[in-house]
Amino acid sequence: SWAGWDNGVQYVPGPVKHAGRVIEKCIRAYGRDAAAITDLVRCTVVYPTLQGVFRFFVALRERSDKGGTSMIRIRRVKNRLALDYNAEAMSAGYRDLAILVEVGWLERWSTIEFLPVKDWGEETSRHICEIQVHVSPVYEVKKGGTHQNYVKYRDLTAS
């Protein structure tokens, strides 16, 4: 439930990454190591203000193995909202907060039981998901076509 995550939050489920993009990313970014692909499943969370984005990150951290309840592990944070992030040079102006989170579960009697990180073992299934966090005005611009510009930029600068 998104209740309690702050006022004004908008949750946008993302599509599963397309196979063509997975193959492209595997070759371009990960030296053909398919195990390195971590953002097949993703979603977007949109807040009206930067303060909301910050509070979301704090709340997420409190639910991680770095905080309180430890139901997720934060694997990586890309802060493209930071003041010192050169969005023009690094991402054709694209900005967000991208957080990779890992979840672990067991399948028992045809049900899935999510486990706290401390209970993960060899039998635990795990998956890494990406959460893209946006400020509303930036998200509206992204929906208007800026992300396509980022894709073109990424493709032109790919090695």
Side-chain angles (χ1 to χ4, degrees):
S1 168
W2 289 97
W5 284 84
D6 202 7
N7 293 333
V9 65
Q10 177 186 2
Y11 168 73
V12 182
V16 173
K17 190 176 286 286
H18 294 283
R21 175 64 184 132
V22 172
I23 292 166
E24 176 184 274
K25 191 171 188 178
C26 181
I27 292 168
R28 286 183 180 174
Y30 299 120
R32 300 180 186 268
D33 179 7
I37 302 291
T38 55
D39 59 348
L40 293 173
V41 177
R42 58 208 164 169
C43 70
T44 298
V45 178
V46 184
Y47 279 94
T49 65
L50 278 173
Q51 291 82 9
V53 171
F54 176 74
R55 285 193 294 270
F56 173 82
F57 182 73
V58 169
L60 191 69
R61 187 172 162 84
E62 288 172 355
R63 290 164 171 81
S64 78
D65 59 333
K66 303 286 188 217
T69 60
S70 304
M71 291 303 290
I72 61 170
R73 175 174 286 149
I74 296 175
R75 298 296 298 250
R76 185 178 74 203
V77 177
K78 278 188 187 175
N79 186 359
R80 295 186 192 103
L81 297 172
L83 291 175
D84 61 348
Y85 179 74
N86 186 343
E88 290 303 317
M90 301 297 292
S91 59
Y94 182 76
R95 289 186 173 270
D96 70 358
L97 179 67
I99 308 165
L100 294 180
V101 297
E102 184 176 20
V103 295
W105 71 89
L106 292 176
E107 185 175 349
R108 295 183 179 161
W109 305 288
S110 299
T111 61
I112 300 285
E113 177 187 352
F114 286 93
L115 302 173
V117 174
K118 68 178 179 56
D119 295 339
W120 292 0
E122 289 184 25
E123 72 284 353
T124 305
S125 296
R126 299 179 195 183
H127 190 76
I128 299 173
C129 311
E130 182 181 61
I131 304 171
Q132 298 174 354
V133 190
H134 287 278
V135 181
S136 295
V138 175
Y139 181 69
E140 292 304 317
V141 171
K142 174 186 174 182
K143 288 190 332 185
T146 331
H147 187 69
Q148 285 74 19
N149 291 339
Y150 168 68
V151 169
K152 289 176 188 173
Y153 170 84
R154 180 190 66 212
D155 290 346
L156 286 171
T157 60
S159 51

